[in-house]
Amino acid sequence: MTGVDGRRRPGVVRRRVGVIALLALIVAVGGYVPLALLSPLAPAAADVAAYTAPAEASPDLTFPSYGATAVEATGWDDSLTTSGDERPRPIASISKVVTALVVLDERPLDGGDGPTLTFGPAEAALVDAYRAQNGKVAPMAAGQALTERQVLEVMLIESANNYAEVLARWAFGSDQAFVDAARAWLADHDLTSTTLVEPTGLSPQNTSTSTDLIELGRLALADPDVARTVGTATTTVPGIGEISNSNELLGLDGVVGIKTGTLDEAGACLLFAADYTIGGRQVTVVGAMLGGVDHDQLDRDVQALLSSVADRFRTVTLTTRGDAFADYDLPWGDAARAVAAEDASVLVWGDETVEASVETDDVGAAPAGTRVGDVTFTVDGERHVVPLELDTTIGEPGAWWRLTHPDEVL
């Protein structure tokens, strides 16, 4: 309405302004409500917890006080441990392991028994020749015939010196040709601290270090014919009868070989290997002990060393399913943890440092069990990845929270 002067009355104007404002509010609210209720929310980042590495001291190895010793768990690069000196020492009949590997490199058995060797008068005369040197021998008669494998068995199991010489000479034609081949073979296999001047080990000039012998032991175990032979306790050979392994530890404490050695200049020596199952894994330990007074004491010292090696392995629990590595706190009050989705453990040698790094995704509403990242453990250079998942459901925020938190919603 207008007054007599044609102007709008103030009350009418105010009512219309109010109506317009109300309509604007209704329009604004009508637009805000669906936006607030339907707009996606920004995901929340996790708060990563500090990781505490498991700690447990490992026992020391039990080494003898004499000679030179080395031991290693194959496949565990940091496990090689030594005691005593590192100078080349006489290795006595451990030399026969080199002889076997050099001969088989030249004349492989290829899964069979090899050709037949027939002994003549010269070979038969070696029995008395080696007896005169106080060397161990096995019967060898002119006209006797054995396969290459059988000769190898008598050499390695019975440790017969006459059989070592016959095998080397048969494979290479002469003693010097064998020595030249052995020198080349040792160089090819980086056994630079090992010297062989004859095939039996009766010469104190056949020398090696304990660490070189560890590598020799690995090579012996990798050759199926040598590994099978040095692991044989007894066998019967035609014309000889039953022969028994000179390694009295064979079959005890997991010992599977490899070769004894005895010489005045060398003392009692043993290149040994043992198999264990530790933490569900197969572990092979190779060792060499040189310079013992006698084999009875040496064997006791080897057993003590092997026991300490086994004790130095331990299974480290990296995580157990359900262990928390991060927390999620959502703005609307819901919370959840990022937990390990599975158990994880690792077999370690000695004192190993365990490191962990956590990577998480930002999350919003999500059901329990949703994968939200990984925790990566690093042990001795190896990575072990364990997935992380939500331990509980993160629900959607309610309508009232959405309507009353425009800053988080829009």
Side-chain angles (χ1 to χ4, degrees):
M1 295 179 64
T2 58
V4 294
D5 58 0
R7 297 179 180 177
R8 293 184 182 274
R9 293 178 181 178
V12 174
V13 173
R14 284 195 297 271
R15 283 196 298 272
R16 289 192 174 182
V17 171
V19 170
I20 293 170
L22 179 59
L23 290 173
L25 177 61
I26 291 171
V27 171
V29 171
Y32 169 71
V33 169
L35 282 175
L37 295 177
L38 300 176
S39 292
L41 298 174
D47 181 17
V48 176
Y51 173 72
T52 301
E56 183 179 340
S58 297
D60 293 331
L61 297 182
T62 304
F63 285 108
S65 58
Y66 54 78
T69 300
V71 68
E72 182 180 41
T74 58
W76 306 82
D77 295 338
D78 57 349
S79 67
L80 176 61
T81 312
T82 63
S83 175
D85 59 62
E86 276 296 304
R87 65 180 176 84
R89 286 172 164 265
I91 57 174
S93 283
I94 294 174
S95 304
K96 295 182 175 76
V97 177
V98 178
T99 300
L101 292 169
V102 173
V103 168
L104 290 173
D105 196 48
E106 178 72 14
R107 299 286 190 96
L109 292 175
D110 293 327
D113 294 328
T116 297
L117 286 69
T118 302
F119 308 139
E123 286 76 30
L126 291 175
V127 174
D128 290 336
Y130 277 109
R131 277 180 179 158
Q133 300 176 61
N134 200 29
K136 192 169 186 179
V137 296
M140 180 178 281
Q144 182 182 359
L146 295 175
T147 65
E148 179 184 357
R149 181 180 295 281
Q150 289 169 331
V151 175
L152 183 76
E153 289 173 342
V154 179
M155 178 183 73
L156 289 176
I157 298 173
E158 185 72 5
S159 199
N161 293 295
N162 53 329
Y163 277 77
E165 180 172 330
V166 166
L167 188 65
R169 192 178 294 170
W170 166 78
F172 294 97
S174 69
D175 296 339
Q176 187 58 49
F178 164 76
V179 170
D180 292 341
R183 184 180 299 115
W185 185 90
L186 291 167
D188 288 345
H189 292 85
D190 295 323
L191 296 173
T192 55
S193 296
T194 302
T195 301
L196 231 69
V197 300
E198 52 85 27
T200 70
L202 273 179
S203 171
Q205 296 180 54
N206 283 9
T207 60
S208 187
T209 61
S210 58
T211 51
D212 253 24
L213 291 180
I214 294 292
E215 177 59 26
L216 178 64
R218 285 200 295 258
L219 291 168
L221 295 177
D223 186 294
D225 295 306
V226 174
R228 166 183 160 183
T229 304
V230 299
T232 299
T234 60
T235 191
T236 300
V237 179
I240 298 176
E242 184 177 273
I243 57 174
S244 299
N245 203 305
S246 57
N247 183 0
E248 294 186 359
L249 288 182
L250 192 65
L252 301 176
D253 300 322
V255 174
V256 295
I258 300 176
K259 189 71 188 76
T260 59
T262 310
L263 196 66
D264 288 344
E265 296 86 346
C269 306
L270 183 64
L271 175 61
F272 57 90
D275 287 340
Y276 300 99
T277 300
I278 304 175
R281 290 183 58 176
Q282 176 83 12
V283 176
T284 298
V285 177
V286 179
M289 195 173 286
L290 306 175
V293 176
D294 57 50
H295 278 283
D296 287 342
Q297 182 61 53
L298 185 84
D299 288 350
R300 288 192 292 269
D301 291 334
V302 168
Q303 288 176 298
L305 176 58
L306 286 172
S307 178
S308 68
V309 168
D311 289 344
R312 213 166 148 71
F313 279 98
R314 60 193 178 98
T315 300
V316 174
T317 298
L318 301 176
T319 188
T320 301
R321 183 176 183 179
D323 287 348
F325 287 87
D327 296 293
Y328 288 99
D329 290 308
L330 284 299
W332 54 91
D334 272 26
R337 300 182 304 169
V339 300
E342 58 193 36
D343 298 337
S345 62
V346 61
L347 184 66
V348 302
W349 160 269
D351 301 321
E352 288 289 352
T353 300
V354 180
E355 298 176 344
S357 62
V358 178
E359 294 183 359
T360 56
D361 303 326
D362 294 349
V363 300
T370 298
R371 183 166 179 171
V372 291
D374 298 299
V375 55
T376 300
F377 300 96
T378 303
V379 186
D380 192 25
E382 292 187 2
R383 299 169 70 251
H384 306 266
V385 180
V386 177
L388 298 176
E389 63 184 16
L390 292 179
D391 70 335
T392 190
T393 296
I394 298 175
E396 292 282 357
W400 178 249
W401 186 90
R402 282 180 171 272
L403 292 172
T404 56
H405 291 78
D407 290 343
E408 286 89 348
V409 171
L410 299 180

